[in-house]
Amino acid sequence: QVQLVESGGGLVQPGGSLRLSCVVSGSIFSIYAMGWYRQAPGKQRDMVARITSGGSTNYADSVKGRFTISRDNAKNTVYLQMNSLKPEDTAVYYCNLGGPTGYWGKGTLVTVSS
Protein backbone atom coordinates (compact mmCIF):
# COMPACT_ATOMS: atom_id res chain seq x y z
CA GLN A 1 0.00 0.00 0.00
CA VAL A 2 1.30 3.44 -0.90
CA GLN A 3 1.57 5.98 1.91
CA LEU A 4 2.85 9.55 1.84
CA VAL A 5 4.02 11.24 5.04
CA GLU A 6 4.84 14.95 5.08
CA SER A 7 6.96 16.76 7.65
CA GLY A 8 8.67 20.09 8.14
CA GLY A 9 5.78 22.48 8.52
CA GLY A 10 5.55 25.04 11.28
CA LEU A 11 5.44 28.70 12.18
CA VAL A 12 7.90 31.02 10.46
CA GLN A 13 8.23 34.79 10.19
CA PRO A 14 7.81 36.57 6.86
CA GLY A 15 11.02 36.34 4.88
CA GLY A 16 11.99 33.10 6.54
CA SER A 17 12.53 29.62 5.14
CA LEU A 18 11.23 26.11 5.65
CA ARG A 19 11.94 22.78 4.01
CA LEU A 20 9.13 20.29 3.65
CA SER A 21 9.80 16.59 3.18
CA CYS A 22 7.55 13.80 1.98
CA VAL A 23 8.52 10.16 2.35
CA VAL A 24 6.71 7.66 0.15
CA SER A 25 6.36 4.01 1.10
CA GLY A 26 6.35 1.38 -1.62
CA SER A 27 8.52 0.74 -4.62
CA ILE A 28 6.76 2.91 -7.19
CA PHE A 29 8.22 6.26 -6.17
CA SER A 30 10.84 6.61 -8.87
CA ILE A 31 8.47 6.12 -11.82
CA TYR A 32 5.91 8.74 -10.89
CA ALA A 33 5.73 12.50 -10.96
CA MET A 34 5.52 14.06 -7.52
CA GLY A 35 3.91 17.30 -6.51
CA TRP A 36 3.26 19.70 -3.68
CA TYR A 37 -0.15 21.31 -3.38
CA ARG A 38 -1.51 23.72 -0.82
CA GLN A 39 -4.88 24.70 0.52
CA ALA A 40 -5.54 27.87 2.48
CA PRO A 41 -8.67 28.22 4.64
CA GLY A 42 -11.74 28.71 2.47
CA LYS A 43 -9.83 28.19 -0.76
CA GLN A 44 -9.36 25.35 -3.21
CA ARG A 45 -6.31 23.11 -3.26
CA ASP A 46 -3.80 24.40 -5.81
CA MET A 47 -0.61 22.99 -7.29
CA VAL A 48 2.54 24.63 -5.93
CA ALA A 49 5.30 22.64 -7.60
CA ARG A 50 5.71 19.45 -9.55
CA ILE A 51 8.66 17.25 -10.52
CA THR A 52 8.61 14.45 -13.06
CA SER A 53 10.39 11.13 -12.74
CA GLY A 54 13.10 12.58 -14.96
CA GLY A 55 13.56 15.66 -12.82
CA SER A 56 11.74 18.28 -14.88
CA THR A 57 10.02 20.85 -12.71
CA ASN A 58 7.26 23.41 -12.93
CA TYR A 59 5.93 25.91 -10.42
CA ALA A 60 2.93 28.06 -9.73
CA ASP A 61 3.63 31.66 -10.74
CA SER A 62 3.17 32.79 -7.14
CA VAL A 63 6.17 30.76 -5.91
CA LYS A 64 8.58 30.93 -8.87
CA GLY A 65 12.02 32.03 -7.75
CA ARG A 66 11.22 31.36 -4.07
CA PHE A 67 10.39 27.65 -3.88
CA THR A 68 12.39 24.69 -5.15
CA ILE A 69 11.14 21.13 -5.51
CA SER A 70 13.58 18.22 -5.60
CA ARG A 71 13.51 14.47 -5.20
CA ASP A 72 15.83 11.76 -3.93
CA ASN A 73 14.77 8.47 -5.51
CA ALA A 74 17.15 6.49 -3.31
CA LYS A 75 15.31 7.77 -0.25
CA ASN A 76 11.79 7.76 -1.76
CA THR A 77 11.59 11.40 -0.70
CA VAL A 78 10.49 14.65 -2.31
CA TYR A 79 11.37 18.03 -0.85
CA LEU A 80 10.05 21.55 -1.08
CA GLN A 81 12.50 24.27 -0.12
CA MET A 82 10.57 27.45 0.61
CA ASN A 83 12.44 30.74 0.88
CA SER A 84 11.31 34.34 1.27
CA LEU A 85 8.05 33.16 2.74
CA LYS A 86 5.07 35.49 2.73
CA PRO A 87 1.90 35.53 4.85
CA GLU A 88 -0.06 34.46 1.77
CA ASP A 89 1.95 31.22 1.70
CA THR A 90 0.11 30.15 4.85
CA ALA A 91 -1.71 26.91 4.08
CA VAL A 92 -1.79 23.18 4.59
CA TYR A 93 0.74 21.68 2.20
CA TYR A 94 0.03 18.28 0.70
CA CYS A 95 2.35 15.85 -1.00
CA ASN A 96 1.00 14.09 -4.08
CA LEU A 97 2.09 11.11 -6.14
CA GLY A 98 0.68 10.54 -9.58
CA GLY A 99 -1.49 13.61 -10.03
CA PRO A 100 -4.86 14.68 -8.60
CA THR A 101 -6.35 11.18 -8.94
CA GLY A 102 -3.29 9.57 -7.36
CA TYR A 103 -2.11 9.35 -3.78
CA TRP A 104 -2.09 12.08 -1.14
CA GLY A 105 -0.49 12.69 2.20
CA LYS A 106 -2.40 14.08 5.17
CA GLY A 107 -0.74 17.47 4.92
CA THR A 108 1.50 19.67 7.02
CA LEU A 109 0.58 23.16 8.18
CA VAL A 110 2.75 26.11 7.25
CA THR A 111 2.01 29.39 8.99
CA VAL A 112 3.82 32.56 7.98
CA SER A 113 3.24 35.27 10.53
CA SER A 114 5.07 37.79 12.64
Side-chain angles (χ1 to χ4, degrees):
Q1 185 173 353
V2 177
Q3 290 187 321
L4 288 69
V5 180
E6 304 99 333
S7 62
L11 174 64
V12 63
Q13 293 186 342
S17 297
L18 282 175
R19 189 175 82 153
L20 305 183
S21 300
C22 173
V23 179
V24 181
S25 64
S27 60
I28 64 172
F29 176 81
S30 63
I31 65 173
Y32 278 93
M34 296 293 303
W36 286 97
Y37 290 68
R38 69 185 179 187
Q39 187 168 19
K43 296 190 176 182
Q44 67 181 23
R45 188 176 299 186
D46 292 324
M47 191 275 291
V48 174
R50 184 175 176 271
I51 185 166
T52 68
S53 59
S56 298
T57 59
N58 63 289
Y59 298 91
D61 288 343
S62 58
V63 307
K64 282 181 181 176
R66 300 189 298 122
F67 291 10
T68 302
I69 189 171
S70 60
R71 65 190 296 162
D72 185 336
N73 290 340
K75 295 182 178 180
N76 278 17
T77 302
V78 61
Y79 304 98
L80 185 68
Q81 178 67 45
M82 306 186 293
N83 299 327
S84 302
L85 283 160
K86 305 175 181 180
E88 51 263 43
D89 295 317
T90 295
V92 177
Y93 285 71
Y94 296 90
C95 180
N96 170 265
L97 181 150
T101 59
Y103 298 91
W104 294 90
K106 293 183 178 181
T108 185
L109 177 63
V110 172
T111 303
V112 185
S113 175
S114 54

